[in-house]
Amino acid sequence: MRHENATRTVILGVAASDAHVVANQLIAHSLRAQGFTVVNVGACTSVAEFADAYSWHPEAEAVIIGSLNGHAYEDLQDLPAARAQGLLDCPVILGGNLSVGSHKDASDAERFRALGVDAVLSDPELLPATLDQLRTRAPQPLAAS
Amino acid sequence: MRHENATRTVILGVAASDAHVVANQLIAHSLRAQGFTVVNVGACTSVAEFADAYSWHPEAEAVIIGSLNGHAYEDLQDLPAARAQGLLDCPVILGGNLSVGSHKDASDAERFRALGVDAVLSDPELLPATLDQLRTRAPQPLAAS
Amino acid sequence: MNDAAPPPETSELPTLAESVAYVRELGKPTAAEVLHTARATGRVALQPRCGVGSHAQMMTLLRDLEQHARPDILTLTIDSHTRLKRFDNARAVLLRNSAELNGYPLVTHGWQRGRELNEAVAAPLEVRHGSPDARLLFETSVASGITSFEGGGISYNLPYSKAVPLSESLAAWRDVDALCGELAGRGLVVDRELFGTLTAVLVPPSISLAVSVLEAVAAAREGVRCISVAYPQGGHFEQDVAALRAIPLLAASYLPEGVEVHAVLHEFMGVFPKERSHAEDLILYGALVARLGGATKLITKTYLEAYGIPDTRANIDGLLASRANSPLLDFIALDEERVGSELDWILQEVAEIVEPVLATTDLHKEIEAAFAEGRLDIPFSASRYARSEVIPRRAPDGAIRYLSPGLLPFSDRTRRRNEESLATTGRSTGLGEMVKGLTSDVNHFLNVFGESPAAAS
Amino acid sequence: MNDAAPPPETSELPTLAESVAYVRELGKPTAAEVLHTARATGRVALQPRCGVGSHAQMMTLLRDLEQHARPDILTLTIDSHTRLKRFDNARAVLLRNSAELNGYPLVTHGWQRGRELNEAVAAPLEVRHGSPDARLLFETSVASGITSFEGGGISYNLPYSKAVPLSESLAAWRDVDALCGELAGRGLVVDRELFGTLTAVLVPPSISLAVSVLEAVAAAREGVRCISVAYPQGGHFEQDVAALRAIPLLAASYLPEGVEVHAVLHEFMGVFPKERSHAEDLILYGALVARLGGATKLITKTYLEAYGIPDTRANIDGLLASRANSPLLDFIALDEERVGSELDWILQEVAEIVEPVLATTDLHKEIEAAFAEGRLDIPFSASRYARSEVIPRRAPDGAIRYLSPGLLPFSDRTRRRNEESLATTGRSTGLGEMVKGLTSDVNHFLNVFGESPAAAS
Ligand code: B12
Ligand code: B12
């Protein structure tokens, strides 16, 4: 089982239409500083490219997707298909600024879970703890604010 | 007839509850500079005091009342009675900021005419012309903006 | 509740002891405490003006302001009938149509309603009015648990009434101040703000400050412990900054130790530009004067100033004024040399005005006599009891100077300096010319913004 | 009109001649004319950002902004699908729910609708986007009669895409610039704004300006006649003022005569404080940078910046930004010595970066090679085609310096100065420490206002 590997690997990237990388790069640095191996596929990464990266790194314990430009929902339209085809067989974590506009809807997270996202986060500091929890395969998908 | 007097006299003052005198003093100076004799009874002048001043200066061709604090209507409640009793037997001109609040009602002037005000003005520069017109005793009470 | 109707009967005022206990139980800081903290933390405390006739609407207004604008101190502005003790008129208008009152008739509503207002908000309240004789209003305020009260025997007489002798108003305010002294003895320090704003229009800084010094000395003698010296923004940056900076220096020179003195700026009180963006430029400008002058408190204006009493929205919208506390403006440097020279000038003029008066034994008598003789004077007095022989003008750079100091006991040096700074303004060649020039100075900010002086409405 | 649906068929673009004639008939000034007038009259032209997916809502938005905020130039911000030529996605979202688009998909709506927008308002429009290859978008803009177009082969590639080689984007933008040259020949000067903002976060001024100099030289060679050099407010007053003041000097050094160059400030583009009053402090601060730096134009932010695309109200509420043009702020003095030393520093660094590149014969090739080798570089590149070995940090006073200049060809003197100014910041003792420090620098204004960095929403 990959959980017993000495080093833990994650795939990190930004959604397909989104070029915001500052948080992405800081998160990568920070996870590395905490001992993770980070495969950072960076900005403008489609679901297909995430699946690709996963095929090269099946040891990854999660795919972590950032989205800031408000287009997360459209950018993840292919996620259900990819997951159904088993192309992304690990937890998917999503974080950032997930919809357009300044007034966010609390039900937003639901939409993403319906697409096959396992956890919606806003604070990257919660990533390690979330990764730990997902490892224990809690039966309920986890939501943090 | 007083109209043929060489000097023209007016009574000038500010309504009973009102202490704003800057405009009052500038108007007094300015009418004087234009040759008028100005009896300036100043701030906080009740209708009774205006009548008093008129009794001492029956040659006055008009009483000019300023009001800025928004209380003009209450301050002139005694005007109909004074006029009915013949205590203010000359045109009454009213000017300034005549109601409370920042959004003025165009029908305001009507209320004052009903109290016995002959002309409601806002720009003091119009005073000489208004005085001239009132002298010719136009049959209709005159309104200027 | 019929919000307009005054309570059926006027009820006895509580005792001072009861009122002091009430303030203690209220569980909010006093105005003096808020000011003290503001100064200690280098903030400018913010205070909007507000007052409407109806009690219910006054409650709403205070709550809305507190919720949305988070002011440090809130205001009860009193209507002008109450100010002049025309209580019957206040009651009549309140019953007829409370919207026609230009302020809150606290005496008519009574102290129980005052307490309701006080309990509705977390910020301490100040009563702002303009009463030559405010004794009943003050007692009602204290009974309401209100911890700041504006006015003074000179500054709430000369601009606000025509025929009240100074002896009367000074005596009435001595009573108010003495009551403050008694309250201080009982542990409740009431902030007494002195209305250096006077007639607000073209007030030379040294006149504003001289009147405040005299009132402050009188108040301190009665035991007042917290004095806010209000100065009206005149419109010239360095002059206004210097005037604010003069306040602690004057306090050190003329007031006993143990009296806490705060500089307060009243945002420009003269003819305001009508266009919203112009008004807002001016409001920000005032905020920066307060900040750089080191004011403890700023009384704000709204973009509706030129039109009339502002609506709640405009009063909430204190965006510009609150920039006074921006942590990002430390880069602003000033022409400190100019500020310094204005400061010297102001201190010199104030000394020449107040020192002869303070040198006498009966301060009240001397103030009255000095005004009668023009040794003390203010421009545009509403009252007969000041001569208003002082004629202010703006120098070409906008600073307010004495075109004529009237009978103020100025030294030759002071006279010369004023004359020189107005040299190009030109002595009036006739009344018409002088009035034109004065009017244009009154309309200073209309000129700056290219607005026409035609009345707003 | 079904506002969301794109026109049934994509229709032929009009000829250039037709578009030039259309602009002439439109009867409004071009962006270049507005900028020219602003500079001539000493005003800072104001421009809000705005773009929504629906055509009808875009019309309303532009009209509302024009009516209430009276901007000098208006914006069409393009959605990020269109930016990346994901036209199918843009169309899909537009049909599904136009509110989910983060900008106006102009190509999808088509040039006729572009003209409708243009005719709806009196201010000229600028298209702002972020497209490595903007040719179709540019042609659609020109056909819409839009007279200002943002971007450049470096600045709209590296921050906006991952895998577009610089040779491609530079070639695409050469086409855009050449078309501008042709339009200029036909009498229509299109303003070309260069996106010196880059990745917006902790961009050292000399990197921003160096990239703009290179893009400006490239654009001028193709015949572009009006160039706006955009600089992103970094947060340190004197450094930002110096950067703006550097722009005309750089233009004089590196650009041919006859090209009109304007300095443009982008209000702070990094992590914005969340509390409204803090955001507003920052907006005013930016306005003052623009004013004192002599910017011709200011691109404004709103108090909702930290949350997401602002609603119309927030965007109209440009109260703070418009203070850039207050006639009352001439009293503000600066630490001119500090500004001067920052200016020297910036000019020196820019020279060291651009001069080797400009000395070569094939500018595009050299730019590509220099980025590949790190002789040109930007921090936080989204693209693989820059190395991002540059590491910026803030000095204790908030100025942005090079913790590591990566492979930039800096002189020893420049390196030393940067090192010295960061001496107390401490070389990172480990990756964790460095990331912490960098994150804290990114969150600079949260720290200033004492806000916690937890994400807004
Ligand atoms: C810098 C910036 C840019 C730069 C990006 C440069 C680059 N390549 O990285 C540039 C100028 C290029 C840019 C472009 C655009 N931007 Co932008 N940008 C910003 C800005 C100002 C700062 C973002 C940033 O770097 N912050 C620093 C990092 C450290 O913090 P952060 O990104 O906010 O992320 C925090 C959280 O969201 C979270 N987080 C982020 N990612 C992840 C991932 C995971 C897994 C987790 C758990 C958490 C997490 O952690 C971070 C720390 O708290 C923000 C507004 C703001 N002031 O916050 C707008 C903003 C994000 N941009 C926005 C938009 C819309 C755009 C554009 C589409 C243009 C437009 N229409 O306005 C284009 C995007 C083009 C594209 N294809 O995506 C909007 C998003 C709107 C929305 N969601 O409603 C914002 C919010 C601005 C606004 N108020 O309108 N932008
Ligand atoms: C200076 C001033 C004061 C000074 C007055 C000093 C004095 N004794 O003169 C002080 C500080 C004492 C003061 C007090 C009060 N004021 Co006051 N004051 C002003 C201020 C700032 C300037 C007025 C002024 O002197 N302007 C200069 C002169 C030359 O112009 P003017 O007065 O505007 O007059 C013009 C026209 O109205 C017209 N005009 C004036 N009189 C006349 C007469 C005639 C016959 C004609 C034809 C034309 C005319 O001509 C002038 C030139 O265009 C105005 C607001 C403003 N910025 O305009 C508020 C203002 C007039 N005050 C106001 C109020 C309410 C008060 C108070 C009741 C306090 C309060 N609740 O806020 C007290 C009044 C006390 C009382 N008993 O009346 C309100 C009136 C509100 C309303 N109508 O809705 C105003 C508009 C402020 C506001 N926006 O709330 N005030």
PDB file of all heavy atoms in Angstrom, chain A residues 109-125:
ATOM      1  N   ALA A 109     -19.768  24.623  -2.433  1.00  0.00           N
ATOM      2  CA  ALA A 109     -18.983  23.414  -2.188  1.00  0.00           C
ATOM      3  C   ALA A 109     -19.733  22.169  -2.661  1.00  0.00           C
ATOM      4  O   ALA A 109     -19.133  21.230  -3.200  1.00  0.00           O
ATOM      5  CB  ALA A 109     -18.625  23.318  -0.704  1.00  0.00           C
ATOM      6  N   GLU A 110     -21.038  22.174  -2.474  1.00  0.00           N
ATOM      7  CA  GLU A 110     -21.869  21.044  -2.910  1.00  0.00           C
ATOM      8  C   GLU A 110     -21.673  20.722  -4.389  1.00  0.00           C
ATOM      9  O   GLU A 110     -21.516  19.571  -4.777  1.00  0.00           O
ATOM     10  CB  GLU A 110     -23.361  21.370  -2.685  1.00  0.00           C
ATOM     11  CG  GLU A 110     -23.789  21.350  -1.233  1.00  0.00           C
ATOM     12  CD  GLU A 110     -23.369  20.062  -0.536  1.00  0.00           C
ATOM     13  OE1 GLU A 110     -23.472  18.976  -1.150  1.00  0.00           O
ATOM     14  OE2 GLU A 110     -22.895  20.149   0.619  1.00  0.00           O
ATOM     15  N   ARG A 111     -21.719  21.790  -5.198  1.00  0.00           N
ATOM     16  CA  ARG A 111     -21.570  21.625  -6.645  1.00  0.00           C
ATOM     17  C   ARG A 111     -20.285  20.878  -6.968  1.00  0.00           C
ATOM     18  O   ARG A 111     -20.244  20.044  -7.866  1.00  0.00           O
ATOM     19  CB  ARG A 111     -21.463  22.993  -7.337  1.00  0.00           C
ATOM     20  CG  ARG A 111     -22.687  23.867  -7.270  1.00  0.00           C
ATOM     21  CD  ARG A 111     -22.686  24.849  -8.432  1.00  0.00           C
ATOM     22  NE  ARG A 111     -21.518  25.734  -8.438  1.00  0.00           N
ATOM     23  CZ  ARG A 111     -21.146  26.466  -9.471  1.00  0.00           C
ATOM     24  NH1 ARG A 111     -21.832  26.408 -10.612  1.00  0.00           N
ATOM     25  NH2 ARG A 111     -20.093  27.246  -9.400  1.00  0.00           N
ATOM     26  N   PHE A 112     -19.230  21.231  -6.231  1.00  0.00           N
ATOM     27  CA  PHE A 112     -17.945  20.617  -6.542  1.00  0.00           C
ATOM     28  C   PHE A 112     -17.898  19.179  -6.065  1.00  0.00           C
ATOM     29  O   PHE A 112     -17.319  18.319  -6.712  1.00  0.00           O
ATOM     30  CB  PHE A 112     -16.801  21.457  -5.964  1.00  0.00           C
ATOM     31  CG  PHE A 112     -16.676  22.770  -6.664  1.00  0.00           C
ATOM     32  CD1 PHE A 112     -17.016  23.950  -6.045  1.00  0.00           C
ATOM     33  CD2 PHE A 112     -16.249  22.808  -7.984  1.00  0.00           C
ATOM     34  CE1 PHE A 112     -16.912  25.165  -6.700  1.00  0.00           C
ATOM     35  CE2 PHE A 112     -16.147  24.019  -8.659  1.00  0.00           C
ATOM     36  CZ  PHE A 112     -16.491  25.200  -8.016  1.00  0.00           C
ATOM     37  N   ARG A 113     -18.516  18.905  -4.933  1.00  0.00           N
ATOM     38  CA  ARG A 113     -18.546  17.512  -4.485  1.00  0.00           C
ATOM     39  C   ARG A 113     -19.282  16.670  -5.492  1.00  0.00           C
ATOM     40  O   ARG A 113     -18.896  15.550  -5.784  1.00  0.00           O
ATOM     41  CB  ARG A 113     -19.157  17.418  -3.095  1.00  0.00           C
ATOM     42  CG  ARG A 113     -18.095  17.804  -2.084  1.00  0.00           C
ATOM     43  CD  ARG A 113     -18.322  17.273  -0.696  1.00  0.00           C
ATOM     44  NE  ARG A 113     -17.804  18.310   0.193  1.00  0.00           N
ATOM     45  CZ  ARG A 113     -18.556  19.250   0.713  1.00  0.00           C
ATOM     46  NH1 ARG A 113     -19.855  19.275   0.503  1.00  0.00           N
ATOM     47  NH2 ARG A 113     -18.005  20.167   1.468  1.00  0.00           N
ATOM     48  N   ALA A 114     -20.336  17.256  -6.091  1.00  0.00           N
ATOM     49  CA  ALA A 114     -21.099  16.526  -7.105  1.00  0.00           C
ATOM     50  C   ALA A 114     -20.223  16.214  -8.322  1.00  0.00           C
ATOM     51  O   ALA A 114     -20.435  15.222  -9.018  1.00  0.00           O
ATOM     52  CB  ALA A 114     -22.324  17.334  -7.519  1.00  0.00           C
ATOM     53  N   LEU A 115     -19.216  17.057  -8.572  1.00  0.00           N
ATOM     54  CA  LEU A 115     -18.305  16.792  -9.693  1.00  0.00           C
ATOM     55  C   LEU A 115     -17.250  15.741  -9.342  1.00  0.00           C
ATOM     56  O   LEU A 115     -16.487  15.324 -10.204  1.00  0.00           O
ATOM     57  CB  LEU A 115     -17.580  18.078 -10.115  1.00  0.00           C
ATOM     58  CG  LEU A 115     -18.335  19.124 -10.928  1.00  0.00           C
ATOM     59  CD1 LEU A 115     -17.406  20.283 -11.269  1.00  0.00           C
ATOM     60  CD2 LEU A 115     -18.892  18.517 -12.220  1.00  0.00           C
ATOM     61  N   GLY A 116     -17.173  15.385  -8.079  1.00  0.00           N
ATOM     62  CA  GLY A 116     -16.193  14.378  -7.691  1.00  0.00           C
ATOM     63  C   GLY A 116     -15.013  14.934  -6.923  1.00  0.00           C
ATOM     64  O   GLY A 116     -13.969  14.290  -6.801  1.00  0.00           O
ATOM     65  N   VAL A 117     -15.163  16.126  -6.386  1.00  0.00           N
ATOM     66  CA  VAL A 117     -14.109  16.694  -5.540  1.00  0.00           C
ATOM     67  C   VAL A 117     -14.309  16.147  -4.126  1.00  0.00           C
ATOM     68  O   VAL A 117     -15.433  16.112  -3.625  1.00  0.00           O
ATOM     69  CB  VAL A 117     -14.172  18.236  -5.548  1.00  0.00           C
ATOM     70  CG1 VAL A 117     -13.267  18.828  -4.491  1.00  0.00           C
ATOM     71  CG2 VAL A 117     -13.839  18.755  -6.933  1.00  0.00           C
ATOM     72  N   ASP A 118     -13.223  15.691  -3.485  1.00  0.00           N
ATOM     73  CA  ASP A 118     -13.383  15.077  -2.165  1.00  0.00           C
ATOM     74  C   ASP A 118     -13.369  16.106  -1.044  1.00  0.00           C
ATOM     75  O   ASP A 118     -14.014  15.931  -0.024  1.00  0.00           O
ATOM     76  CB  ASP A 118     -12.263  14.060  -1.938  1.00  0.00           C
ATOM     77  CG  ASP A 118     -12.374  12.918  -2.923  1.00  0.00           C
ATOM     78  OD1 ASP A 118     -13.117  11.972  -2.648  1.00  0.00           O
ATOM     79  OD2 ASP A 118     -11.761  13.016  -4.010  1.00  0.00           O
ATOM     80  N   ALA A 119     -12.575  17.170  -1.230  1.00  0.00           N
ATOM     81  CA  ALA A 119     -12.522  18.178  -0.171  1.00  0.00           C
ATOM     82  C   ALA A 119     -12.354  19.558  -0.797  1.00  0.00           C
ATOM     83  O   ALA A 119     -11.563  19.735  -1.732  1.00  0.00           O
ATOM     84  CB  ALA A 119     -11.362  17.897   0.779  1.00  0.00           C
ATOM     85  N   VAL A 120     -13.141  20.489  -0.293  1.00  0.00           N
ATOM     86  CA  VAL A 120     -13.014  21.877  -0.729  1.00  0.00           C
ATOM     87  C   VAL A 120     -12.431  22.667   0.434  1.00  0.00           C
ATOM     88  O   VAL A 120     -13.003  22.685   1.519  1.00  0.00           O
ATOM     89  CB  VAL A 120     -14.381  22.464  -1.137  1.00  0.00           C
ATOM     90  CG1 VAL A 120     -14.254  23.934  -1.483  1.00  0.00           C
ATOM     91  CG2 VAL A 120     -14.963  21.677  -2.312  1.00  0.00           C
ATOM     92  N   LEU A 121     -11.295  23.291   0.197  1.00  0.00           N
ATOM     93  CA  LEU A 121     -10.600  24.022   1.265  1.00  0.00           C
ATOM     94  C   LEU A 121     -10.435  25.472   0.857  1.00  0.00           C
ATOM     95  O   LEU A 121     -10.433  25.800  -0.328  1.00  0.00           O
ATOM     96  CB  LEU A 121      -9.188  23.464   1.461  1.00  0.00           C
ATOM     97  CG  LEU A 121      -9.009  22.080   2.039  1.00  0.00           C
ATOM     98  CD1 LEU A 121      -7.520  21.852   2.273  1.00  0.00           C
ATOM     99  CD2 LEU A 121      -9.759  21.989   3.357  1.00  0.00           C
ATOM    100  N   SER A 122     -10.257  26.345   1.832  1.00  0.00           N
ATOM    101  CA  SER A 122      -9.817  27.672   1.411  1.00  0.00           C
ATOM    102  C   SER A 122      -8.427  27.986   1.957  1.00  0.00           C
ATOM    103  O   SER A 122      -7.628  28.629   1.299  1.00  0.00           O
ATOM    104  CB  SER A 122     -10.845  28.741   1.786  1.00  0.00           C
ATOM    105  OG  SER A 122     -11.046  28.725   3.174  1.00  0.00           O
ATOM    106  N   ASP A 123      -8.137  27.483   3.145  1.00  0.00           N
ATOM    107  CA  ASP A 123      -6.847  27.820   3.744  1.00  0.00           C
ATOM    108  C   ASP A 123      -5.818  26.729   3.450  1.00  0.00           C
ATOM    109  O   ASP A 123      -5.978  25.587   3.891  1.00  0.00           O
ATOM    110  CB  ASP A 123      -7.047  27.976   5.256  1.00  0.00           C
ATOM    111  CG  ASP A 123      -5.775  28.455   5.933  1.00  0.00           C
ATOM    112  OD1 ASP A 123      -4.730  28.534   5.258  1.00  0.00           O
ATOM    113  OD2 ASP A 123      -5.843  28.755   7.143  1.00  0.00           O
ATOM    114  N   PRO A 124      -4.748  27.057   2.722  1.00  0.00           N
ATOM    115  CA  PRO A 124      -3.763  26.028   2.389  1.00  0.00           C
ATOM    116  C   PRO A 124      -3.063  25.443   3.610  1.00  0.00           C
ATOM    117  O   PRO A 124      -2.533  24.330   3.536  1.00  0.00           O
ATOM    118  CB  PRO A 124      -2.762  26.750   1.474  1.00  0.00           C
ATOM    119  CG  PRO A 124      -3.094  28.195   1.530  1.00  0.00           C
ATOM    120  CD  PRO A 124      -4.433  28.366   2.136  1.00  0.00           C
ATOM    121  N   GLU A 125      -3.081  26.156   4.716  1.00  0.00           N
ATOM    122  CA  GLU A 125      -2.465  25.615   5.929  1.00  0.00           C
ATOM    123  C   GLU A 125      -3.143  24.305   6.357  1.00  0.00           C
ATOM    124  O   GLU A 125      -2.568  23.510   7.092  1.00  0.00           O
ATOM    125  CB  GLU A 125      -2.595  26.618   7.083  1.00  0.00           C
ATOM    126  CG  GLU A 125      -1.996  27.972   6.803  1.00  0.00           C
ATOM    127  CD  GLU A 125      -0.747  28.211   7.648  1.00  0.00           C
ATOM    128  OE1 GLU A 125      -0.674  27.657   8.750  1.00  0.00           O
ATOM    129  OE2 GLU A 125       0.146  28.948   7.170  1.00  0.00           O
TER     130      GLU A 125
END
